[in-house]
Short mmCIF file of all heavy atoms in Angstrom, two decimals:
data_model
loop_
_atom_site.label_atom_id
_atom_site.label_comp_id
_atom_site.label_asym_id
_atom_site.label_seq_id
_atom_site.Cartn_x
_atom_site.Cartn_y
_atom_site.Cartn_z
N PHE A 1 -118.15 -32.86 162.88
CA PHE A 1 -119.45 -32.21 162.88
C PHE A 1 -120.30 -32.97 161.88
O PHE A 1 -119.96 -33.02 160.69
CB PHE A 1 -119.33 -30.74 162.48
CG PHE A 1 -118.44 -29.95 163.39
CD1 PHE A 1 -117.09 -29.83 163.13
CD2 PHE A 1 -118.97 -29.36 164.52
CE1 PHE A 1 -116.26 -29.10 163.98
CE2 PHE A 1 -118.15 -28.63 165.39
CZ PHE A 1 -116.80 -28.51 165.11
N SER A 2 -121.39 -33.57 162.33
CA SER A 2 -122.18 -34.45 161.48
C SER A 2 -123.53 -33.84 161.13
O SER A 2 -124.13 -33.11 161.93
CB SER A 2 -122.38 -35.80 162.16
OG SER A 2 -121.13 -36.42 162.35
N TYR A 3 -123.99 -34.16 159.93
CA TYR A 3 -125.28 -33.71 159.43
C TYR A 3 -126.03 -34.92 158.89
O TYR A 3 -125.43 -35.78 158.23
CB TYR A 3 -125.09 -32.69 158.30
CG TYR A 3 -124.23 -31.52 158.68
CD1 TYR A 3 -122.85 -31.55 158.45
CD2 TYR A 3 -124.77 -30.39 159.28
CE1 TYR A 3 -122.05 -30.47 158.80
CE2 TYR A 3 -123.97 -29.31 159.64
CZ TYR A 3 -122.62 -29.36 159.40
OH TYR A 3 -121.82 -28.30 159.75
N ASN A 4 -127.34 -34.98 159.17
CA ASN A 4 -128.15 -36.09 158.69
C ASN A 4 -129.54 -35.59 158.30
O ASN A 4 -129.75 -34.38 158.17
CB ASN A 4 -128.21 -37.22 159.72
CG ASN A 4 -128.73 -36.75 161.05
OD1 ASN A 4 -129.66 -35.94 161.12
ND2 ASN A 4 -128.15 -37.26 162.12
N LYS A 5 -130.48 -36.51 158.12
CA LYS A 5 -131.83 -36.14 157.69
C LYS A 5 -132.48 -35.15 158.66
O LYS A 5 -133.22 -34.26 158.23
CB LYS A 5 -132.71 -37.39 157.55
CG LYS A 5 -132.42 -38.18 156.30
CD LYS A 5 -133.30 -39.40 156.19
CE LYS A 5 -134.72 -38.99 155.90
NZ LYS A 5 -135.58 -40.12 155.55
N THR A 6 -132.19 -35.26 159.92
CA THR A 6 -132.75 -34.35 160.91
C THR A 6 -132.32 -32.91 160.64
O THR A 6 -133.07 -31.97 160.90
CB THR A 6 -132.30 -34.77 162.33
OG1 THR A 6 -132.66 -36.12 162.55
CG2 THR A 6 -132.93 -33.90 163.39
N ASP A 7 -131.13 -32.73 160.07
CA ASP A 7 -130.61 -31.41 159.76
C ASP A 7 -131.06 -30.90 158.39
O ASP A 7 -130.75 -29.76 158.02
CB ASP A 7 -129.08 -31.43 159.79
CG ASP A 7 -128.55 -31.85 161.15
OD1 ASP A 7 -128.88 -31.17 162.14
OD2 ASP A 7 -127.83 -32.87 161.21
N GLY A 8 -131.76 -31.74 157.62
CA GLY A 8 -132.25 -31.34 156.31
C GLY A 8 -131.65 -32.08 155.15
O GLY A 8 -132.03 -31.85 153.99
N LEU A 9 -130.72 -32.96 155.39
CA LEU A 9 -130.11 -33.77 154.34
C LEU A 9 -131.17 -34.69 153.73
O LEU A 9 -132.05 -35.18 154.44
CB LEU A 9 -128.98 -34.59 154.96
CG LEU A 9 -128.00 -35.33 154.07
CD1 LEU A 9 -127.26 -34.38 153.14
CD2 LEU A 9 -127.00 -36.09 154.93
N ALA A 10 -131.11 -34.92 152.42
CA ALA A 10 -132.12 -35.74 151.73
C ALA A 10 -132.16 -37.17 152.27
O ALA A 10 -133.23 -37.76 152.39
CB ALA A 10 -131.87 -35.75 150.23
N ASP A 11 -131.02 -37.74 152.56
CA ASP A 11 -130.94 -39.12 153.04
C ASP A 11 -129.63 -39.31 153.79
O ASP A 11 -128.68 -38.55 153.59
CB ASP A 11 -131.05 -40.10 151.86
CG ASP A 11 -131.28 -41.52 152.32
OD1 ASP A 11 -132.27 -41.77 153.03
OD2 ASP A 11 -130.46 -42.39 151.96
N ASN A 12 -129.55 -40.32 154.62
CA ASN A 12 -128.34 -40.59 155.40
C ASN A 12 -127.36 -41.50 154.69
O ASN A 12 -126.25 -41.71 155.17
CB ASN A 12 -128.70 -41.19 156.76
CG ASN A 12 -129.35 -40.17 157.67
OD1 ASN A 12 -129.15 -38.97 157.53
ND2 ASN A 12 -130.16 -40.64 158.59
N ASN A 13 -127.75 -42.06 153.55
CA ASN A 13 -126.86 -42.91 152.76
C ASN A 13 -126.20 -42.05 151.69
O ASN A 13 -126.81 -41.70 150.69
CB ASN A 13 -127.62 -44.07 152.12
CG ASN A 13 -128.16 -45.02 153.16
OD1 ASN A 13 -127.41 -45.46 154.03
ND2 ASN A 13 -129.44 -45.32 153.09
N ILE A 14 -124.93 -41.72 151.90
CA ILE A 14 -124.21 -40.80 151.03
C ILE A 14 -123.35 -41.60 150.06
O ILE A 14 -122.62 -42.51 150.45
CB ILE A 14 -123.31 -39.85 151.85
CG1 ILE A 14 -124.10 -39.19 152.98
CG2 ILE A 14 -122.66 -38.82 150.93
CD1 ILE A 14 -125.33 -38.44 152.57
N ARG A 15 -123.42 -41.24 148.77
CA ARG A 15 -122.68 -41.96 147.74
C ARG A 15 -121.60 -41.11 147.07
O ARG A 15 -120.65 -41.64 146.53
CB ARG A 15 -123.64 -42.49 146.68
CG ARG A 15 -124.68 -43.46 147.23
CD ARG A 15 -123.99 -44.72 147.74
NE ARG A 15 -124.95 -45.66 148.31
CZ ARG A 15 -125.02 -45.96 149.59
NH1 ARG A 15 -124.21 -45.39 150.45
NH2 ARG A 15 -125.88 -46.84 150.02
N ALA A 16 -121.76 -39.77 147.06
CA ALA A 16 -120.79 -38.92 146.37
C ALA A 16 -120.75 -37.54 147.01
O ALA A 16 -121.75 -37.07 147.55
CB ALA A 16 -121.17 -38.80 144.89
N LEU A 17 -119.60 -36.89 146.93
CA LEU A 17 -119.40 -35.54 147.45
C LEU A 17 -118.63 -34.72 146.43
O LEU A 17 -117.72 -35.22 145.77
CB LEU A 17 -118.62 -35.56 148.76
CG LEU A 17 -119.27 -36.24 149.95
CD1 LEU A 17 -118.26 -36.43 151.08
CD2 LEU A 17 -120.46 -35.44 150.43
N LEU A 18 -119.01 -33.43 146.33
CA LEU A 18 -118.32 -32.52 145.43
C LEU A 18 -118.46 -31.11 145.97
O LEU A 18 -119.52 -30.72 146.45
CB LEU A 18 -118.94 -32.58 144.03
CG LEU A 18 -118.40 -31.56 143.03
CD1 LEU A 18 -117.20 -32.13 142.30
CD2 LEU A 18 -119.47 -31.15 142.04
N GLN A 19 -117.39 -30.32 145.88
CA GLN A 19 -117.46 -28.91 146.24
C GLN A 19 -117.35 -28.10 144.96
O GLN A 19 -116.44 -28.31 144.16
CB GLN A 19 -116.36 -28.53 147.22
CG GLN A 19 -116.48 -27.10 147.70
CD GLN A 19 -115.39 -26.70 148.69
OE1 GLN A 19 -114.26 -27.16 148.59
NE2 GLN A 19 -115.74 -25.86 149.64
N ASP A 20 -118.29 -27.15 144.77
CA ASP A 20 -118.26 -26.34 143.55
C ASP A 20 -117.42 -25.08 143.74
O ASP A 20 -116.86 -24.84 144.82
CB ASP A 20 -119.69 -26.02 143.07
CG ASP A 20 -120.48 -25.12 144.00
OD1 ASP A 20 -119.88 -24.40 144.84
OD2 ASP A 20 -121.72 -25.11 143.87
N SER A 21 -117.36 -24.24 142.70
CA SER A 21 -116.52 -23.05 142.73
C SER A 21 -117.03 -21.99 143.71
O SER A 21 -116.29 -21.08 144.08
CB SER A 21 -116.44 -22.44 141.33
OG SER A 21 -117.74 -22.07 140.89
N LYS A 22 -118.28 -22.10 144.15
CA LYS A 22 -118.85 -21.17 145.13
C LYS A 22 -118.79 -21.74 146.55
O LYS A 22 -119.45 -21.23 147.45
CB LYS A 22 -120.29 -20.83 144.76
CG LYS A 22 -120.39 -20.10 143.43
CD LYS A 22 -121.83 -19.79 143.10
CE LYS A 22 -121.90 -19.10 141.74
NZ LYS A 22 -123.27 -18.86 141.33
N ASN A 23 -118.03 -22.81 146.73
CA ASN A 23 -117.82 -23.49 148.01
C ASN A 23 -119.07 -24.21 148.54
O ASN A 23 -119.13 -24.55 149.72
CB ASN A 23 -117.28 -22.53 149.08
CG ASN A 23 -115.92 -22.01 148.72
OD1 ASN A 23 -115.16 -22.68 148.03
ND2 ASN A 23 -115.61 -20.82 149.15
N ASN A 24 -120.06 -24.43 147.67
CA ASN A 24 -121.22 -25.24 148.06
C ASN A 24 -120.83 -26.71 148.00
O ASN A 24 -120.08 -27.12 147.11
CB ASN A 24 -122.40 -25.00 147.12
CG ASN A 24 -122.93 -23.59 147.24
OD1 ASN A 24 -123.23 -23.14 148.33
ND2 ASN A 24 -123.05 -22.92 146.11
N LEU A 25 -121.35 -27.47 148.92
CA LEU A 25 -121.11 -28.91 148.94
C LEU A 25 -122.31 -29.61 148.31
O LEU A 25 -123.45 -29.40 148.72
CB LEU A 25 -120.92 -29.40 150.38
CG LEU A 25 -120.54 -30.86 150.55
CD1 LEU A 25 -119.16 -31.14 149.97
CD2 LEU A 25 -120.56 -31.23 152.02
N TRP A 26 -122.05 -30.41 147.28
CA TRP A 26 -123.08 -31.20 146.62
C TRP A 26 -122.94 -32.63 147.12
O TRP A 26 -121.85 -33.21 147.09
CB TRP A 26 -122.93 -31.13 145.10
CG TRP A 26 -123.25 -29.76 144.58
CD1 TRP A 26 -122.38 -28.73 144.44
CD2 TRP A 26 -124.53 -29.29 144.18
NE1 TRP A 26 -123.04 -27.63 143.96
CE2 TRP A 26 -124.37 -27.94 143.78
CE3 TRP A 26 -125.80 -29.87 144.10
CZ2 TRP A 26 -125.42 -27.17 143.32
CZ3 TRP A 26 -126.85 -29.10 143.64
CH2 TRP A 26 -126.65 -27.77 143.26
N ILE A 27 -124.05 -33.18 147.59
CA ILE A 27 -124.04 -34.47 148.26
C ILE A 27 -124.97 -35.41 147.51
O ILE A 27 -126.19 -35.19 147.46
CB ILE A 27 -124.49 -34.32 149.72
CG1 ILE A 27 -123.61 -33.28 150.43
CG2 ILE A 27 -124.47 -35.66 150.44
CD1 ILE A 27 -124.21 -32.72 151.69
N GLY A 28 -124.42 -36.45 146.91
CA GLY A 28 -125.22 -37.46 146.23
C GLY A 28 -125.66 -38.51 147.24
O GLY A 28 -124.84 -39.16 147.87
N THR A 29 -126.98 -38.64 147.41
CA THR A 29 -127.52 -39.63 148.35
C THR A 29 -128.20 -40.74 147.57
O THR A 29 -128.29 -40.69 146.35
CB THR A 29 -128.54 -38.98 149.32
OG1 THR A 29 -129.75 -38.73 148.61
CG2 THR A 29 -128.00 -37.68 149.90
N SER A 30 -128.74 -41.70 148.27
CA SER A 30 -129.42 -42.82 147.62
C SER A 30 -130.81 -42.44 147.12
O SER A 30 -131.42 -43.21 146.37
CB SER A 30 -129.50 -44.01 148.56
OG SER A 30 -130.18 -43.65 149.74
N VAL A 31 -131.33 -41.25 147.49
CA VAL A 31 -132.66 -40.84 147.03
C VAL A 31 -132.66 -39.52 146.26
O VAL A 31 -133.71 -39.08 145.79
CB VAL A 31 -133.67 -40.73 148.21
CG1 VAL A 31 -133.83 -42.06 148.91
CG2 VAL A 31 -133.26 -39.64 149.18
N GLY A 32 -131.52 -38.86 146.14
CA GLY A 32 -131.46 -37.59 145.44
C GLY A 32 -130.16 -36.87 145.74
O GLY A 32 -129.20 -37.46 146.22
N ILE A 33 -130.18 -35.57 145.47
CA ILE A 33 -128.99 -34.75 145.68
C ILE A 33 -129.31 -33.65 146.69
O ILE A 33 -130.36 -33.03 146.62
CB ILE A 33 -128.53 -34.13 144.35
CG1 ILE A 33 -128.12 -35.23 143.37
CG2 ILE A 33 -127.37 -33.15 144.58
CD1 ILE A 33 -127.82 -34.73 141.98
N SER A 34 -128.39 -33.41 147.60
CA SER A 34 -128.51 -32.30 148.54
C SER A 34 -127.42 -31.29 148.26
O SER A 34 -126.29 -31.67 147.93
CB SER A 34 -128.39 -32.79 149.99
OG SER A 34 -129.46 -33.59 150.35
N ASN A 35 -127.77 -30.02 148.39
CA ASN A 35 -126.80 -28.95 148.27
C ASN A 35 -126.69 -28.28 149.63
O ASN A 35 -127.70 -27.90 150.23
CB ASN A 35 -127.27 -27.94 147.21
CG ASN A 35 -126.35 -26.75 147.14
OD1 ASN A 35 -126.52 -25.78 147.86
ND2 ASN A 35 -125.38 -26.83 146.27
N PHE A 36 -125.46 -28.15 150.13
CA PHE A 36 -125.23 -27.53 151.44
C PHE A 36 -124.39 -26.28 151.23
O PHE A 36 -123.27 -26.34 150.72
CB PHE A 36 -124.52 -28.51 152.37
CG PHE A 36 -124.30 -28.01 153.75
CD1 PHE A 36 -125.37 -27.64 154.56
CD2 PHE A 36 -123.02 -27.92 154.28
CE1 PHE A 36 -125.18 -27.19 155.86
CE2 PHE A 36 -122.82 -27.48 155.57
CZ PHE A 36 -123.89 -27.10 156.36
N ASN A 37 -124.93 -25.12 151.61
CA ASN A 37 -124.24 -23.85 151.43
C ASN A 37 -123.45 -23.43 152.66
O ASN A 37 -122.97 -22.30 152.74
CB ASN A 37 -125.23 -22.75 151.04
CG ASN A 37 -126.27 -22.48 152.12
OD1 ASN A 37 -126.17 -22.97 153.25
ND2 ASN A 37 -127.29 -21.73 151.77
N GLY A 38 -123.32 -24.32 153.62
CA GLY A 38 -122.62 -24.02 154.86
C GLY A 38 -123.56 -23.69 156.00
O GLY A 38 -123.16 -23.68 157.16
N VAL A 39 -124.84 -23.43 155.65
CA VAL A 39 -125.85 -23.09 156.65
C VAL A 39 -127.04 -24.03 156.57
O VAL A 39 -127.49 -24.56 157.58
CB VAL A 39 -126.33 -21.63 156.47
CG1 VAL A 39 -127.43 -21.29 157.46
CG2 VAL A 39 -125.17 -20.66 156.59
#
């Protein structure tokens, strides 16, 4: 299941991923950081 800028992601070039204690996904991109709460 893929997500990109069309879905709301800051950028399509992903450099880092992290899941926090609340199960949010933090996505480091080449232009900023995106937070994905599953929705």
Side-chain angles (χ1 to χ4, degrees):
F1 300 91
S2 298
Y3 305 92
N4 57 39
K5 284 180 71 170
T6 305
D7 301 301
L9 191 60
D11 192 57
N12 290 335
N13 295 309
I14 310 304
R15 300 295 178 248
L17 295 169
L18 174 89
Q19 185 179 34
D20 67 20
S21 61
K22 296 179 182 177
N23 297 331
N24 294 308
L25 185 65
W26 292 88
I27 305 161
T29 75
S30 58
V31 299
I33 297 173
S34 293
N35 176 272
F36 183 60
N37 63 10
V39 177

